């Protein structure tokens, strides 16, 4: 019995440490972040825990993140990413429309609710090897790779591992360990078996 208690405490301690390492805990007299700012921070941290195929981009190129759509989270994400780097690469944020090319991008934060437009974006992103991040449970069930959710006033996320594989992306096991739900889009409406 005592062994199980020690094991559980160690598990909880490791999980808290991992959360701190992945998403950082801001201490001090800073003002609290609003939901859009927290989501923007999550988007940035997701970029650090995904691997793209070695032949997909040169390390001398900027790390291009597209923002497709408008809204407070899109604005907060653009502002948050402006001065960031991923490894040695400077992040370059570009706003784009749903029907524009995703060529050269590593990731796309998608704020689009129209089903046909979203389907077009997700298909193009999968073909181009672009990580897609969006909002709401429906995003992951429609083929987006990472979906941000708000439950009990806390931001959580789902990962669709099938969508990641189709885009030739590898999501870190460290990130998957923190996922609210790991999904597979093979059962989504309109997917081919």
């Amino acid at each position: 019995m005592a062994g199980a208690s020690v094991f559980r405490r160690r598990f909880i301690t490791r999980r808290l440490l991992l959360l701190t390492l992945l998403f950082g805990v801001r201490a001090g007299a800073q003002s609290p972040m609003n939901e859009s700012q927290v989501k923007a921070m999550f988007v940035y941290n997701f970029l650090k825990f995904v691997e793209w195929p070695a032949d997909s981009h040169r390390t001398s190129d900027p790390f291009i993140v597209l923002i497709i759509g408008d809204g407070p989270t899109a604005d907060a994400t653009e502002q948050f990413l402006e001065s960031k780097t991923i490894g040695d690469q400077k992040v370059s944020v570009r706003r784009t429309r749903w029907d524009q090319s995703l060529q050269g991008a590593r990731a796309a934060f998608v704020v689009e609710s129209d089903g046909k437009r979203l389907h077009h974006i997700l298909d193009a992103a999968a073909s181009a090897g672009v990580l897609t991040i969006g909002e709401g449970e429906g995003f992951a069930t429609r083929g987006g790779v990472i979906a941000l959710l708000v439950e009990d006033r806390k931001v959580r996320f789902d990962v669709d591992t099938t969508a990641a594989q189709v885009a030739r992306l590898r999501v870190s096991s460290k990130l998957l360990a923190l996922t609210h739900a790991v999904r597979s889009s093979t059962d989504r409406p309109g997917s081919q078996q």
Side-chain angles (χ1 to χ4, degrees):
M1 293 272 200
S5 175
V6 169
F7 176 77
R8 180 155 175 75
R9 281 196 307 264
R10 285 184 183 159
F11 175 79
I12 291 170
T13 301
R14 278 193 304 248
R15 186 129 180 152
L16 289 172
L17 178 61
L18 184 60
L19 279 168
T20 302
L21 290 174
L22 288 178
F23 298 107
V25 176
R26 295 186 181 229
Q30 297 177 351
S31 62
M33 298 171 77
N34 67 36
E35 180 181 307
S36 294
Q37 292 168 322
V38 171
K39 287 179 178 179
M41 184 179 72
F42 269 75
V43 169
Y44 173 62
N45 283 292
F46 294 148
L47 302 176
K48 296 188 238 177
F49 291 92
V50 172
E51 290 179 24
W52 286 260
D55 63 345
S56 64
H57 297 87
R58 295 183 318 225
T59 56
S60 59
D61 293 340
F63 193 102
I64 298 172
V65 178
L66 302 178
I67 297 180
I68 304 170
D70 296 308
T73 306
D75 296 340
T77 301
E78 180 178 23
Q79 184 178 15
F80 190 84
L81 294 177
E82 280 180 343
S83 62
K84 301 294 187 218
T85 59
I86 301 295
D88 293 334
Q89 293 178 282
K90 182 178 181 340
V91 174
S92 175
V93 181
R94 298 182 188 162
R95 296 296 278 253
T96 188
R97 291 172 27 101
W98 68 273
D99 57 350
Q100 291 180 319
S101 172
L102 305 179
Q103 199 62 35
R106 291 284 190 98
F109 181 64
V110 182
V111 186
E112 179 60 65
S113 58
D114 180 88
K116 287 183 181 180
R117 290 180 178 182
L118 183 58
H119 182 73
H120 172 83
I121 294 164
L122 296 177
D123 283 350
S127 297
V130 174
L131 170 66
T132 52
I133 305 166
E135 295 179 286
E137 188 173 344
F139 188 79
T141 60
R142 295 177 116 177
V145 178
I146 301 176
L148 290 162
L149 314 164
V150 178
E151 290 182 350
D152 299 322
R153 297 175 32 169
K154 294 179 183 173
V155 177
R156 304 195 187 287
F157 59 96
D158 289 352
V159 175
D160 184 329
T161 55
T162 301
Q165 289 171 347
V166 168
R168 301 176 327 273
L169 304 172
R170 186 177 163 274
V171 179
S172 166
S173 60
K174 293 176 184 176
L175 188 62
L176 291 175
L178 300 174
T179 303
H180 175 258
V182 177
R183 301 177 184 278
S184 172
S185 60
T186 56
D187 297 327
R188 71 182 161 107
S191 68
Q192 296 179 356
Q193 302 284 327

